[in-house]
Amino acid sequence: MICELVDAKKVYPMGDLEVTALKGVTVGVQAGEFTVFAGPSGSGKSTALNLIGCLDRPSSGRVKVDGRDVEALSDAELGAVRARRIGFIFQSFNLVPVLTAAENVDLALRLAGMNEGRKEKVEQALVEVGLKDYMTRRPSQLSGGQQQRVAIARALVKKPAIIIADEPTANLDSANAVAILDLMREMNEHNGATFLFSTHDPMVMERARRVVRLKDGEIVADERR
Ligand code: ADP
Protein backbone atom coordinates (compact mmCIF):
# COMPACT_ATOMS: atom_id res chain seq x y z
CA MET A 1 0.00 0.00 0.00
CA ILE A 2 1.41 3.40 -1.02
CA CYS A 3 -0.83 5.40 1.27
CA GLU A 4 -3.59 4.71 3.68
CA LEU A 5 -6.13 6.48 5.86
CA VAL A 6 -7.24 4.37 8.83
CA ASP A 7 -10.36 5.63 10.60
CA ALA A 8 -9.15 9.16 9.82
CA LYS A 9 -11.25 11.92 11.26
CA LYS A 10 -10.86 15.64 10.65
CA VAL A 11 -12.67 18.28 12.64
CA TYR A 12 -12.25 21.99 11.91
CA PRO A 13 -13.10 24.62 14.50
CA MET A 14 -15.65 27.19 13.26
CA GLY A 15 -16.00 29.87 15.91
CA ASP A 16 -17.79 28.15 18.77
CA LEU A 17 -18.85 25.29 16.54
CA GLU A 18 -16.98 22.45 14.84
CA VAL A 19 -17.25 21.14 11.30
CA THR A 20 -16.55 17.44 10.85
CA ALA A 21 -15.02 17.23 7.38
CA LEU A 22 -14.13 13.51 7.62
CA LYS A 23 -16.00 11.17 9.92
CA GLY A 24 -13.55 8.29 10.21
CA VAL A 25 -12.49 7.24 6.75
CA THR A 26 -10.54 4.10 5.95
CA VAL A 27 -9.10 3.79 2.44
CA GLY A 28 -5.83 2.70 0.88
CA VAL A 29 -4.18 3.30 -2.48
CA GLN A 30 -1.90 0.69 -4.03
CA ALA A 31 1.11 1.34 -6.23
CA GLY A 32 0.11 1.87 -9.87
CA GLU A 33 -3.53 2.74 -9.19
CA PHE A 34 -5.44 5.54 -10.93
CA THR A 35 -8.02 6.52 -8.35
CA VAL A 36 -10.59 9.28 -8.12
CA PHE A 37 -12.20 10.66 -4.98
CA ALA A 38 -15.62 11.72 -6.24
CA GLY A 39 -18.42 13.51 -4.48
CA PRO A 40 -20.28 16.80 -4.23
CA SER A 41 -18.67 19.99 -2.97
CA GLY A 42 -18.13 19.78 0.78
CA SER A 43 -18.05 15.97 0.89
CA GLY A 44 -14.47 15.88 2.22
CA LYS A 45 -12.44 15.16 -0.94
CA SER A 46 -9.88 17.93 -0.43
CA THR A 47 -9.56 17.15 3.26
CA ALA A 48 -8.80 13.51 2.46
CA LEU A 49 -6.25 14.51 -0.20
CA ASN A 50 -4.61 16.98 2.18
CA LEU A 51 -4.15 14.24 4.77
CA ILE A 52 -2.69 11.78 2.26
CA GLY A 53 -0.52 14.58 0.82
CA CYS A 54 0.89 15.34 4.30
CA LEU A 55 -0.38 18.92 4.02
CA ASP A 56 -2.40 18.46 7.19
CA ARG A 57 -2.73 16.04 10.09
CA PRO A 58 -5.88 14.17 11.13
CA SER A 59 -7.80 15.02 14.34
CA SER A 60 -7.76 11.28 15.07
CA GLY A 61 -7.03 8.06 13.24
CA ARG A 62 -3.93 7.21 11.24
CA VAL A 63 -2.33 8.30 8.00
CA LYS A 64 0.35 6.17 6.38
CA VAL A 65 2.32 7.42 3.41
CA ASP A 66 5.01 5.51 1.59
CA GLY A 67 5.26 3.00 4.44
CA ARG A 68 5.59 5.65 7.17
CA ASP A 69 3.17 6.47 9.92
CA VAL A 70 2.64 10.23 9.62
CA GLU A 71 1.89 10.54 13.32
CA ALA A 72 5.43 9.46 14.16
CA LEU A 73 7.05 12.12 11.96
CA SER A 74 8.17 15.58 13.05
CA ASP A 75 7.03 18.55 10.97
CA ALA A 76 10.47 18.62 9.29
CA GLU A 77 10.28 14.91 8.43
CA LEU A 78 6.75 15.38 7.14
CA GLY A 79 8.00 18.24 4.96
CA ALA A 80 10.70 15.99 3.54
CA VAL A 81 8.19 13.25 2.69
CA ARG A 82 6.00 15.87 1.01
CA ALA A 83 8.89 17.31 -1.01
CA ARG A 84 10.42 14.02 -2.15
CA ARG A 85 7.69 11.40 -2.20
CA ILE A 86 4.55 13.29 -3.21
CA GLY A 87 3.81 15.22 -6.41
CA PHE A 88 1.00 17.77 -6.42
CA ILE A 89 -1.13 19.02 -9.29
CA PHE A 90 -3.60 21.81 -8.52
CA GLN A 91 -6.60 23.15 -10.39
CA SER A 92 -4.98 26.57 -10.79
CA PHE A 93 -1.62 25.06 -11.89
CA ASN A 94 0.34 27.02 -9.20
CA LEU A 95 3.43 27.67 -11.29
CA VAL A 96 5.88 30.40 -10.28
CA PRO A 97 5.15 33.22 -12.78
CA VAL A 98 8.69 34.61 -13.05
CA LEU A 99 10.27 31.22 -13.78
CA THR A 100 10.36 29.41 -17.12
CA ALA A 101 8.74 26.01 -17.59
CA ALA A 102 12.12 24.33 -17.10
CA GLU A 103 12.91 26.41 -14.00
CA ASN A 104 9.51 25.56 -12.49
CA VAL A 105 10.16 21.85 -12.93
CA ASP A 106 13.73 22.23 -11.69
CA LEU A 107 12.50 24.02 -8.56
CA ALA A 108 10.69 20.84 -7.47
CA LEU A 109 13.97 18.91 -7.61
CA ARG A 110 15.86 21.65 -5.80
CA LEU A 111 13.29 21.84 -3.01
CA ALA A 112 13.48 18.08 -2.64
CA GLY A 113 17.29 18.22 -2.52
CA MET A 114 17.44 15.87 -5.52
CA ASN A 115 20.40 17.52 -7.19
CA GLU A 116 21.84 14.72 -9.26
CA GLY A 117 21.29 15.00 -13.02
CA ARG A 118 18.75 17.78 -12.62
CA LYS A 119 19.06 19.25 -16.10
CA GLU A 120 18.52 15.91 -17.85
CA LYS A 121 15.63 14.99 -15.57
CA VAL A 122 13.90 18.33 -16.19
CA GLU A 123 14.28 18.02 -19.97
CA GLN A 124 13.06 14.44 -19.98
CA ALA A 125 9.99 15.31 -17.90
CA LEU A 126 9.06 18.22 -20.19
CA VAL A 127 9.57 16.10 -23.31
CA GLU A 128 7.32 13.40 -21.82
CA VAL A 129 4.47 15.88 -21.39
CA GLY A 130 4.89 17.21 -24.94
CA LEU A 131 6.60 20.53 -24.12
CA LYS A 132 9.98 20.01 -25.78
CA ASP A 133 9.70 23.34 -27.60
CA TYR A 134 8.31 25.34 -24.69
CA MET A 135 10.95 24.85 -22.00
CA THR A 136 12.06 28.47 -21.87
CA ARG A 137 8.57 29.99 -21.81
CA ARG A 138 7.12 31.53 -18.69
CA PRO A 139 3.60 30.55 -17.52
CA SER A 140 2.04 33.73 -18.99
CA GLN A 141 3.36 32.64 -22.41
CA LEU A 142 1.65 29.24 -22.14
CA SER A 143 -2.00 28.19 -22.51
CA GLY A 144 -3.87 26.70 -19.53
CA GLY A 145 -3.43 23.21 -20.93
CA GLN A 146 0.30 23.79 -21.40
CA GLN A 147 0.64 25.19 -17.88
CA GLN A 148 -1.03 22.08 -16.50
CA ARG A 149 1.44 19.97 -18.52
CA VAL A 150 4.29 21.84 -16.82
CA ALA A 151 2.64 21.08 -13.47
CA ILE A 152 2.44 17.39 -14.42
CA ALA A 153 6.13 17.42 -15.39
CA ARG A 154 6.92 19.13 -12.07
CA ALA A 155 5.09 16.35 -10.21
CA LEU A 156 6.55 13.49 -12.28
CA VAL A 157 10.16 14.68 -12.29
CA LYS A 158 10.70 13.55 -8.68
CA LYS A 159 9.39 10.07 -9.47
CA PRO A 160 7.25 10.35 -6.36
CA ALA A 161 5.42 7.50 -4.64
CA ILE A 162 2.11 9.16 -5.47
CA ILE A 163 0.82 12.11 -7.46
CA ILE A 164 -2.09 13.94 -5.90
CA ALA A 165 -4.26 16.03 -8.19
CA ASP A 166 -6.95 18.28 -6.70
CA GLU A 167 -9.58 18.95 -9.41
CA PRO A 168 -6.84 19.07 -12.09
CA THR A 169 -9.18 19.79 -15.01
CA ALA A 170 -11.47 22.32 -13.33
CA ASN A 171 -9.88 25.32 -15.06
CA LEU A 172 -9.54 23.75 -18.51
CA ASP A 173 -11.93 23.65 -21.48
CA SER A 174 -13.21 20.17 -22.29
CA ALA A 175 -10.74 19.45 -25.13
CA ASN A 176 -7.76 20.35 -22.92
CA ALA A 177 -9.27 18.50 -19.96
CA VAL A 178 -9.51 15.30 -22.02
CA ALA A 179 -5.93 15.74 -23.30
CA ILE A 180 -4.59 16.27 -19.78
CA LEU A 181 -6.48 13.26 -18.43
CA ASP A 182 -5.23 11.10 -21.30
CA LEU A 183 -1.67 12.25 -20.59
CA MET A 184 -1.99 11.24 -16.94
CA ARG A 185 -3.44 7.87 -17.96
CA GLU A 186 -0.45 7.37 -20.26
CA MET A 187 1.97 8.25 -17.42
CA ASN A 188 0.11 5.75 -15.27
CA GLU A 189 0.14 2.97 -17.86
CA HIS A 190 3.65 3.45 -19.27
CA ASN A 191 5.61 4.93 -16.36
CA GLY A 192 3.71 3.20 -13.57
CA ALA A 193 2.95 6.53 -11.84
CA THR A 194 0.31 6.27 -9.11
CA PHE A 195 -2.39 8.96 -9.30
CA LEU A 196 -5.03 10.06 -6.82
CA PHE A 197 -7.50 12.75 -7.94
CA SER A 198 -10.40 14.63 -6.54
CA THR A 199 -13.14 15.62 -8.95
CA HIS A 200 -16.82 16.08 -9.51
CA ASP A 201 -16.33 15.97 -13.28
CA PRO A 202 -18.00 12.87 -14.84
CA MET A 203 -15.41 12.89 -17.65
CA VAL A 204 -12.62 12.39 -15.10
CA MET A 205 -14.56 9.64 -13.31
CA GLU A 206 -15.10 7.81 -16.62
CA ARG A 207 -11.35 7.57 -17.13
CA ALA A 208 -10.52 6.35 -13.63
CA ARG A 209 -9.95 2.71 -12.82
CA ARG A 210 -11.22 3.14 -9.31
CA VAL A 211 -13.82 5.59 -8.01
CA VAL A 212 -14.12 6.19 -4.26
CA ARG A 213 -17.32 8.13 -3.58
CA LEU A 214 -17.52 10.45 -0.60
CA LYS A 215 -20.61 12.01 0.91
CA ASP A 216 -20.78 14.13 4.07
CA GLY A 217 -17.31 13.03 5.15
CA GLU A 218 -17.86 9.31 4.63
CA ILE A 219 -17.07 6.79 1.91
CA VAL A 220 -20.32 5.58 0.40
CA ALA A 221 -18.90 3.49 -2.48
CA ASP A 222 -15.58 2.12 -3.72
CA GLU A 223 -15.79 0.80 -7.27
CA ARG A 224 -12.98 -0.80 -9.26
CA ARG A 225 -13.23 -1.33 -12.99
P1 ADP B 1 -14.64 18.94 -0.93
O1 ADP B 1 -13.20 18.92 -1.34
O2 ADP B 1 -15.35 17.64 -1.20
O3 ADP B 1 -15.39 20.11 -1.50
P2 ADP B 1 -13.68 19.72 1.69
O4 ADP B 1 -12.80 18.64 2.16
O5 ADP B 1 -13.07 20.94 1.13
O6 ADP B 1 -14.73 19.09 0.65
O7 ADP B 1 -14.63 20.19 2.89
C1 ADP B 1 -15.36 19.30 3.73
C2 ADP B 1 -16.06 20.12 4.81
O8 ADP B 1 -15.10 20.69 5.68
C3 ADP B 1 -16.89 21.28 4.28
O9 ADP B 1 -18.02 21.41 5.09
C4 ADP B 1 -15.96 22.47 4.43
O10 ADP B 1 -16.69 23.65 4.59
C5 ADP B 1 -15.19 22.11 5.69
N1 ADP B 1 -13.82 22.66 5.71
C6 ADP B 1 -12.82 22.35 4.84
N2 ADP B 1 -11.68 23.01 5.16
C7 ADP B 1 -11.97 23.77 6.23
C8 ADP B 1 -11.23 24.67 7.07
N3 ADP B 1 -9.93 24.92 6.82
N4 ADP B 1 -11.87 25.27 8.09
C9 ADP B 1 -13.16 25.01 8.35
N5 ADP B 1 -13.91 24.16 7.63
C10 ADP B 1 -13.34 23.56 6.58
Side-chain angles (χ1 to χ4, degrees):
M1 208 79 90
I2 290 268
C3 60
E4 217 175 339
L5 298 178
V6 183
D7 199 20
K9 206 172 163 187
K10 184 71 191 181
V11 180
Y12 292 108
M14 272 263 287
D16 294 340
L17 301 172
E18 286 183 333
V19 182
T20 304
L22 285 183
K23 289 180 182 162
V25 163
T26 299
V27 65
V29 174
Q30 313 234 20
E33 280 194 320
F34 197 85
T35 303
V36 159
F37 281 173
S41 180
S43 56
K45 304 183 296 294
S46 300
T47 303
L49 285 189
N50 287 349
L51 294 182
I52 292 170
C54 302
L55 293 166
D56 204 355
R57 293 177 186 268
S59 308
S60 67
R62 287 168 70 198
V63 180
K64 284 195 196 175
V65 176
D66 199 23
R68 288 145 169 268
D69 216 320
V70 163
E71 201 184 2
L73 302 179
S74 68
D75 284 348
E77 288 169 329
L78 201 60
V81 171
R82 198 163 53 219
R84 298 181 71 100
R85 304 301 295 150
I86 299 168
F88 292 96
I89 297 170
F90 302 95
Q91 57 172 286
S92 49
F93 323 133
N94 289 19
L95 302 176
V96 181
V98 295
L99 301 181
T100 65
E103 287 165 348
N104 266 284
V105 176
D106 188 42
L107 184 61
L109 291 177
R110 287 165 58 190
L111 290 173
M114 300 167 86
N115 288 315
E116 206 167 306
R118 266 175 28 215
K119 190 164 184 289
E120 293 71 30
K121 285 180 185 166
V122 167
E123 279 178 15
Q124 192 195 342
L126 283 166
V127 168
E128 274 176 3
V129 299
L131 292 180
K132 184 171 176 285
D133 299 326
Y134 298 85
M135 295 193 194
T136 57
R137 297 230 193 155
R138 283 194 294 278
S140 63
Q141 301 166 314
L142 296 168
S143 70
Q146 288 168 334
Q147 288 183 58
Q148 198 59 309
R149 284 172 192 270
V150 176
I152 293 170
R154 178 180 60 184
L156 285 168
V157 74
K158 301 186 284 185
K159 302 215 180 310
I162 188 164
I163 295 170
I164 290 178
D166 198 358
E167 301 266 2
T169 58
N171 284 324
L172 299 174
D173 60 61
S174 53
N176 269 307
V178 169
I180 287 293
L181 249 291
D182 287 348
L183 174 64
M184 293 197 242
R185 269 287 291 262
E186 194 187 313
M187 296 300 159
N188 171 255
E189 281 165 16
H190 296 145
N191 301 16
T194 305
F195 282 92
L196 177 60
F197 296 80
S198 70
T199 196
H200 53 255
D201 181 347
M203 186 277 293
V204 179
M205 288 176 227
E206 256 169 42
R207 282 167 167 74
R209 297 239 182 69
R210 180 180 176 201
V211 179
V212 176
R213 286 179 200 278
L214 285 150
K215 187 166 180 269
D216 298 330
E218 288 177 301
I219 292 177
V220 293
D222 188 345
E223 303 149 9
R224 284 174 203 267
R225 297 164 185 160

